[in-house]
Amino acid sequence: MSRSQKADQDLTKVLNQLWHLDKNRLRPGTDYRISLQGKAGYVAQGSNVARDQAKAPLFTYVNEDKLKSIKTYEYFISLLDNYEMSTGVSETVTSEELKENKLFIDAIVETDVMKCAHQYLVKKGKSPSDLGQFKRQLYDIWFRLYHRDRSGGEDSCGFEHVFVGEAKYGKEIMGLHNWVQFYLQEKHDNVDYKGYKARDNKDTPDEDDHVLNLQFSWKGLVKPVGGSFIGVSPEFEVALFTIIFLMSTEKMTSVVVKVDEYVLELVVCRHGQSIGTSYPKLLSSNNRDL
């Protein structure tokens, strides 16, 4: 077995451990319901015209009381409000926001999911065993501000890109790979779900799938295809993408793993010592070949 195959097996094992430990994952059909509707068509990159194959929203129901009763979701939702959509607009980070960033990290490191990720990273020599130092490492990966737009100030960070989403030159959507943000933006009429993406008819996803490829518009800008976990906890996504980020030094890393019933391509791009972007791409599920 080649070293890379061994590494992928190793990665598959830990990511499945995270999956099984994710007790804050919401249950489809019970805690939330989605309506997949039609299959989205082709949209050229940079075009903002997409035929709407889904008249209704993606999320028909989310138990918000349950979300707000779980500490990691509660802090996560308060963070979503703190970021300015446009790249190139310097973020002003207030002391209140700094406190919220830290509260979120404090809450996620207490979960079994993050404890498992931390142990794995320590074992691999990628993270300090000291919890305070590990939290600082997470902070730098996800919350340290950097220049995404060359002309502007420090206008972006990994958390904002991946979980919140941002617009590039007012034209193209970047990021927004998180289901909670998608749901909240849909509720405020900012997101319009256009349909699911699949290669052909036998690849139709199920409404209890925890990973989807979606097409949508956000404040009038179209994202031709975006991969997203559905129903998983914020700590699960942070843990998974932190592991992939720290296990590689490449500018762009892509690994194919089988997590639960899903064969996924997980993509992480780095921006110095921080995450530039990270997202899942569903390749197949339940032995459906996409």
Side-chain angles (χ1 to χ4, degrees), residues 104 108 114 138 142 163 234-243:
F104 175 66
I108 63 173
M114 274 319 277
L138 287 174
W142 289 99
F163 295 115
E235 59 268 28
F236 173 79
E237 292 196 62
V238 169
L240 171 121
F241 291 125
T242 299
I243 285 176

Side-chain angles (χ1 to χ4, degrees), residues 262-273:
Y262 309 100
V263 179
L264 306 173
E265 181 184 358
L266 300 170
V267 180
V268 176
C269 300
R270 65 167 52 237
H271 202 288
Q273 296 307 305

Side-chain angles (χ1 to χ4, degrees), residues 8 11-12 15-16 18-19 25 209-213 226-230 232 236-237 240-241 244 253-268 279-290:
D8 286 354
L11 203 53
T12 296
L15 298 183
N16 279 285
L18 300 182
W19 182 266
R25 182 167 61 244
D209 277 352
H210 279 293
V211 196
L212 293 174
N213 298 328
S228 192
F229 284 106
I230 307 286
V232 304
F236 173 79
E237 292 196 62
L240 171 121
F241 291 125
I244 292 168
T253 305
S254 154
V255 293
V256 174
V257 289
K258 187 166 193 273
V259 177
D260 192 53
E261 63 183 60
Y262 309 100
V263 179
L264 306 173
E265 181 184 358
L266 300 170
V267 180
V268 176
Y279 55 88
K281 217 153 90 183
L282 180 64
L283 301 179
S284 69
S285 167
N286 280 333
N287 302 323
R288 294 194 312 261
D289 293 324
L290 293 192

Side-chain angles (χ1 to χ4, degrees), residues 21-187:
L21 289 169
D22 191 17
K23 68 176 196 304
N24 289 334
R25 182 167 61 244
L26 298 198
R27 289 161 311 183
T30 310
D31 302 323
Y32 70 92
R33 280 193 295 278
I34 61 171
S35 169
L36 288 165
Q37 302 162 79
K39 183 178 152 184
Y42 171 75
V43 174
Q45 198 67 38
S47 161
N48 280 315
V49 184
R51 276 188 66 184
D52 199 343
Q53 304 294 350
K55 293 291 173 246
L58 174 65
F59 286 94
T60 48
Y61 165 75
V62 172
N63 183 342
E64 286 197 39
D65 291 339
K66 177 157 185 175
L67 277 190
K68 287 174 183 147
S69 73
I70 302 169
K71 216 160 60 167
T72 54
Y73 284 101
E74 185 199 347
Y75 290 137
F76 180 76
I77 290 167
S78 69
L79 287 180
L80 295 176
D81 301 334
N82 289 342
Y83 291 93
E84 182 80 48
M85 181 180 164
S86 182
T87 335
V89 177
S90 280
E91 292 290 345
T92 45
V93 183
T94 65
S95 57
E96 182 58 31
E97 287 172 11
L98 278 175
K99 203 169 98 193
E100 288 181 346
N101 292 348
K102 292 198 161 79
L103 280 170
F104 175 66
I105 287 180
D106 287 346
I108 63 173
V109 296
E110 283 172 20
T111 63
D112 290 344
V113 167
M114 274 319 277
K115 283 177 181 164
C116 171
H118 186 203
Q119 282 166 357
Y120 177 80
L121 289 164
V122 170
K123 194 176 85 193
K124 295 288 178 188
K126 301 294 181 186
S127 289
S129 56
D130 177 79
L131 193 59
Q133 287 181 342
F134 178 57
K135 285 187 202 175
R136 272 197 295 278
Q137 185 185 34
L138 287 174
Y139 196 94
D140 285 345
I141 291 171
W142 289 99
F143 290 105
R144 183 187 285 271
L145 287 174
Y146 51 72
H147 306 263
R148 191 182 287 278
D149 178 0
R150 288 203 179 98
S151 61
E154 294 188 325
D155 62 348
S156 188
C157 67
F159 180 89
E160 179 187 14
H161 180 85
V162 174
F163 295 115
V164 186
E166 42 191 2
K168 186 180 186 178
Y169 317 121
K171 282 204 183 81
E172 178 190 338
I173 304 174
M174 301 160 66
L176 208 167
H177 294 286
N178 178 262
W179 74 271
V180 178
Q181 170 71 336
F182 192 97
Y183 162 69
L184 293 171
Q185 289 294 312
E186 200 171 54
K187 199 173 110 171

